[in-house]
């Protein structure tokens, strides 16, 4: 029997403060993606130069590198949820996997190029929240996100309950 995974998308109605917090989380995801991409490019350059170095290509490896370097790379990292940085690194890991699968011929469709940096205003602002304290409130018109708080939704979240 196959397991079915269902995703839902809801329109939010944030306050101005919550809108800034959401933008900050999306910026944090973009920053983590670009930071990880730069690290991968540096390590690939070192490998091409003949050095024996580990290139973080998967989400666990990228997260491990991020946790080691986040104090220096982003001293403001604690202002946002860890989910924001994780979703940016997850996007990078997926892009790297798609690139390598495409290059090896294991992926259908047109060839995928090497991931490129994300730029504000040029890419879709996105951030995923996948762990607690993500919850649907009892009135089914609000959700609670980590670090952001309770946000109103435009429609009922009954489908999630």
């Amino acid at each position: 029997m196959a397991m079915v995974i269902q995703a839902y998308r809801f329109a939010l109605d944030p306050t101005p403060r919550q809108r800034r917090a959401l933008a900050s989380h999306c910026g944090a995801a973009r920053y983590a993606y670009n930071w990880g991409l730069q690290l991968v490019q540096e390590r690939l350059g070192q490998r091409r130069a003949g050095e024996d170095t580990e290139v973080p290509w998967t989400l666990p490896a990228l997260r491990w590198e991020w946790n080691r370097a986040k104090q220096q790379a982003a001293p403001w990292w604690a202002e946002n949820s860890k989910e924001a940085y994780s979703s940016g690194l997850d996007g990078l890991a997926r892009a790297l996997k798609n690139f390598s699968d495409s290059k090896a011929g294991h992926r259908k469709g047109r060839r995928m190029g090497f991931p490129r940096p994300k730029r504000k205003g040029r890419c879709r602002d996105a951030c995923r929240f996948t762990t607690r304290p993500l919850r649907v409130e009892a009135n089914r018109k609000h959700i609670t996100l980590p670090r952001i708080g309770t946000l109103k939704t435009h429609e009922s979240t009954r489908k999630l309950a």
Side-chain angles (χ1 to χ4, degrees), residues 3 17 66 81 151 155-156 161:
M3 182 169 71
R17 182 193 66 78
W66 170 256
S81 171
L151 288 108
E155 58 193 294
S156 172

Side-chain angles (χ1 to χ4, degrees), residues 118-136:
K118 293 188 175 191
R119 290 176 49 192
K120 185 176 181 177
R122 294 282 179 114
C123 64
R124 183 173 57 125
D125 286 341
C127 174
R128 286 189 304 272
F129 294 90
T130 57
T131 61
R132 304 285 177 212
L134 171 68
R135 75 174 176 266
V136 177

